[in-house]
Amino acid sequence: MAKNFYITTPIFYPNAKLHMGHAYTVTICDILARAQKLQGKETYLLTGADENTGKILKVVEEQGQTVEEYLNQVTLNFKDLYSKLGISYDQFIKTSDKETHWPGAQALWKKLVETGDIYKATYSGLYCVGCETFYTEKDLVEGKCPVHLTVPEKIEEENYFFKLSKYTQIIKEKIESNELLIVPQTRKNEIVALLDRGLEDISFSRPIKNVPHGIPVPGDPSQVIYVWCDALVNYISALGYGRNTELFEKFWPANVHVIGKDILRFHAAIWPAMLLSAGLPLQKSLLVHGLITSGGHKMSKTLGNVIDPYELIEEYGFEAVRYYLAREVSPFEDGDLTKERFKESYNANLANGIGNLTSRIMKMAQDNLDAPVSIAEREDMSQYFAFYDSFEISKAADFVWNEIKSLDQYIQENQPFKVVKTDKEAGQKMIGELVVRLYSVARMLNPILPETSEKIKALIKENKTPEVPLFVRKD
Ligand SMILES: [Zn+2]
């Protein structure tokens, strides 16, 4: 089994306000990384921001802030959210970073040029200045930009293009054979259907006069690299591609890029084509997660159903949020989150469930055992970890909570607290076995509830019941 595990979030748009979607993506990445680390792998979790985005930066400048100040503030916001969620990431990459990111993007560009996959052509299209985006006729609503409701300009400009079309067949083969694994199957089918329709070459640069924030095209300062050879390259530039290859050699190819379904095509078609063109191995897999809805609808201000991750963390603690996202949301489909469901699930599975179970077992142990139970650390957990290897996070969580339930049932049926009064030895043996099984639960909880996992292990080592409940019931 390979020793290293490299996992990435997408680079996020530098939004001022972070929402549940950000919290979800980064939390499942953190859980998957921790699960691999627990199996003895060296892990690397990359996250970051997609900063060369003219749209947002234009607004910032109009509001009189410098772009750098704004981006630094956004980075701090992300880091604050990550720290509040207990995310253990290895690097936050900023695509405006000229030292870390730009050399990688430019090095990859040069590789594509060497292969002969970059060519110059005239691009003509319908352009909305407000969106800084080209639209096709069918994107428009009654001939107008769907966002601004203005008539786009027809403009022509010189662009560099990438021969994406050349790679259609080979990418399709790699996806069909699972050499590039796309999970879930529905997303794989979707991309295979798209590849069946064929890929067209895509614009890879823009004139610098139209796009001031971006990475200059090597050898042509009149053009900047446009989106693909900038944003997607973060996954390798962060590892030092184009600068220093130590990390790159250690961790590339990525085990998994975790993405939302809106960026599937970029990651399942454009990025693999670029890697093939550069002679680099493809990422091993794509985990395409769904949206977090609320009450069955996309969260929106207008509907008033937006749930703020900070508020939940404040009220319930970060592990409650991690728990919900891990267990109550399937990593493969849209998942629903309402305040009512959150509270219900918190009370049933954390306050009761693991919280109550720990108190019960450790109270019996504290009152009836003469010494802490000694635990053999080596235990086969391959059945449990197999869920994580196939990204089945909610099933992994179910596995742990089934064990919690079965421990509760055992106590109910066998009443060791009574047995120990009439037959001390038999009672102590039962309690000792419960403690051993609770320790296994604590070990399994580590990826999802890292803090609680450590707390339970410490209680077992000291043979003590918690002074305050692990999770206080909410009314
Ligand atoms: Zn527009």
Side-chain angles (χ1 to χ4, degrees):
M1 200 162 47
K3 290 198 317 294
N4 301 325
F5 183 81
Y6 178 35
I7 181 168
T8 65
T9 74
I11 43 174
F12 297 110
Y13 285 118
N15 294 328
K17 195 153 166 57
L18 304 184
H19 51 72
M20 201 45 94
H22 298 109
Y24 181 63
T25 309
V26 77
T27 298
I28 61 174
C29 287
D30 186 63
I31 290 172
L32 291 171
R34 284 178 192 266
Q36 296 298 331
K37 193 175 266 177
L38 221 55
Q39 294 181 79
K41 289 196 190 165
E42 191 173 342
T43 63
Y44 202 92
L45 167 51
L46 175 71
T47 182
D50 183 6
E51 296 179 322
N52 302 321
T53 158
K55 246 189 283 182
I56 294 174
L57 302 187
K58 207 165 108 187
V59 175
V60 169
E61 282 174 331
E62 281 163 9
Q63 290 168 347
Q65 214 179 349
T66 75
V67 163
E68 201 188 347
E69 264 171 20
Y70 173 81
L71 292 176
N72 286 341
Q73 186 52 51
V74 169
T75 303
L76 290 177
N77 294 352
F78 274 107
K79 290 185 174 176
D80 174 61
L81 177 66
Y82 294 174
S83 120
K84 288 194 164 96
L85 283 166
I87 307 300
S88 172
Y89 60 95
D90 294 280
Q91 186 182 159
F92 187 94
I93 187 161
K94 293 162 67 70
T95 62
S96 69
D97 189 326
K98 294 182 178 155
E99 264 118 64
T100 307
H101 177 62
W102 291 26
Q106 291 179 324
L108 192 73
W109 178 282
K110 287 184 195 157
K111 274 276 177 202
L112 309 186
V113 171
E114 274 172 35
T115 312
D117 286 341
I118 299 274
Y119 62 95
K120 209 168 189 179
T122 302
Y123 186 90
S124 95
L126 299 162
Y127 187 71
C128 172
V129 182
C131 294
E132 289 192 3
T133 302
F134 282 98
Y135 285 104
T136 61
E137 292 284 356
K138 68 174 193 299
D139 297 326
L140 302 176
V141 177
E142 292 169 355
K144 293 173 181 170
C145 162
V147 182
H148 293 91
L149 304 174
T150 50
V151 179
E153 279 172 75
K154 189 165 168 63
I155 64 168
E156 284 197 345
E157 52 176 49
E158 285 280 289
N159 282 186
Y160 288 100
F161 280 73
F162 172 63
K163 288 185 188 166
L164 180 61
S165 57
K166 176 177 158 185
Y167 293 97
T168 308
Q169 195 50 38
I170 176 161
I171 292 170
K172 194 182 151 208
E173 281 162 24
K174 286 180 188 288
I175 289 174
E176 282 183 327
S177 70
N178 293 339
E179 188 182 330
L180 168 51
L181 177 70
I182 298 181
V183 178
Q185 180 75 31
T186 47
R187 302 293 164 218
K188 174 176 168 176
N189 297 346
E190 196 178 307
I191 201 73
V192 168
L194 184 121
L195 291 165
D196 277 336
R197 293 195 294 274
L199 297 172
E200 281 175 27
D201 292 353
I202 48 170
S203 165
F204 244 43
S205 77
R206 301 282 319 274
I208 199 160
K209 60 177 168 41
N210 297 340
V211 183
H213 300 282
I215 307 171
V217 165
D220 185 352
S222 74
Q223 295 267 324
V224 294
I225 295 174
Y226 177 62
V227 188
W228 317 117
C229 198
D230 170 2
L232 292 164
V233 179
N234 90 87
Y235 300 127
I236 58 175
S237 67
L239 297 180
Y241 182 79
R243 291 180 282 133
N244 168 349
T245 54
E246 201 181 313
L247 271 182
F248 178 73
E249 275 161 19
K250 188 164 175 185
F251 287 106
W252 192 260
N255 295 75
V256 56
H257 294 318
V258 178
I259 60 170
K261 55 191 170 185
D262 53 328
I263 50 175
L264 172 62
R265 188 175 67 92
F266 313 153
H267 286 79
I270 301 174
W271 179 228
M274 290 164 65
L275 291 166
L276 287 166
S277 173
L280 296 172
L282 305 191
Q283 75 268 27
K284 291 181 185 155
S285 56
L286 285 174
L287 166 57
V288 190
H289 66 70
L291 280 175
I292 308 279
T293 59
S294 186
H297 299 284
K298 199 173 164 181
M299 292 189 198
S300 82
K301 273 198 199 126
T302 356
L303 286 176
N305 64 346
V306 176
I307 296 181
D308 178 11
Y310 296 97
E311 267 176 41
L312 285 182
I313 296 169
E314 182 72 30
E315 193 176 350
Y316 292 91
F318 78 104
E319 289 196 309
V321 176
R322 292 175 68 101
Y323 168 78
Y324 193 95
L325 297 178
R327 179 133 187 252
E328 306 288 351
V329 175
S330 154
F332 310 135
E333 287 159 40
D334 290 353
D336 204 61
L337 167 59
T338 61
K339 287 186 177 165
E340 295 70 31
R341 270 197 66 200
F342 191 93
K343 185 159 104 180
E344 210 176 286
S345 172
Y346 171 92
N347 280 333
N349 302 300
L350 295 175
N352 295 334
I354 185 61
N356 195 26
L357 179 74
T358 304
S359 295
R360 280 173 94 187
I361 293 179
M362 293 316 296
K363 178 85 173 72
M364 287 188 276
Q366 179 182 282
D367 292 350
N368 298 296
L369 301 184
D370 309 320
V373 174
S374 67
I375 306 286
E377 274 286 346
R378 287 291 127 224
E379 185 190 350
D380 180 21
M381 292 199 161
S382 51
Q383 196 194 350
Y384 173 62
F385 284 118
F387 291 116
Y388 290 109
D389 294 343
S390 51
F391 314 126
E392 302 264 17
I393 298 169
S394 51
K395 285 193 183 158
D398 285 343
F399 186 87
V400 185
W401 265 267
N402 283 339
E403 174 65 1
I404 290 170
K405 202 167 137 195
S406 122
L407 285 172
D408 271 331
Q409 249 164 17
Y410 178 88
I411 298 171
Q412 195 92 358
E413 283 162 14
N414 297 287
Q415 307 199 311
F417 48 91
K418 279 191 185 156
V419 175
V420 80
K421 288 188 182 125
T422 52
D423 182 346
K424 193 171 176 195
E425 203 178 324
Q428 281 181 329
K429 188 161 173 270
M430 288 163 100
I431 294 166
E433 278 164 10
L434 282 169
V435 173
V436 170
R437 284 174 72 186
L438 181 65
Y439 196 90
S440 293
V441 167
R443 286 190 65 201
M444 289 193 285
L445 279 177
N446 174 291
I448 303 169
L449 307 179
E451 202 173 84
T452 297
S453 165
E454 290 311 309
K455 276 187 197 166
I456 297 174
K457 286 185 200 167
L459 290 167
I460 291 173
K461 281 190 183 116
E462 293 167 36
N463 198 37
K464 268 170 54 181
T465 191
E467 281 159 27
V468 287
L470 293 178
F471 296 94
V472 178
R473 215 188 137 73
K474 303 277 179 188
D475 296 311

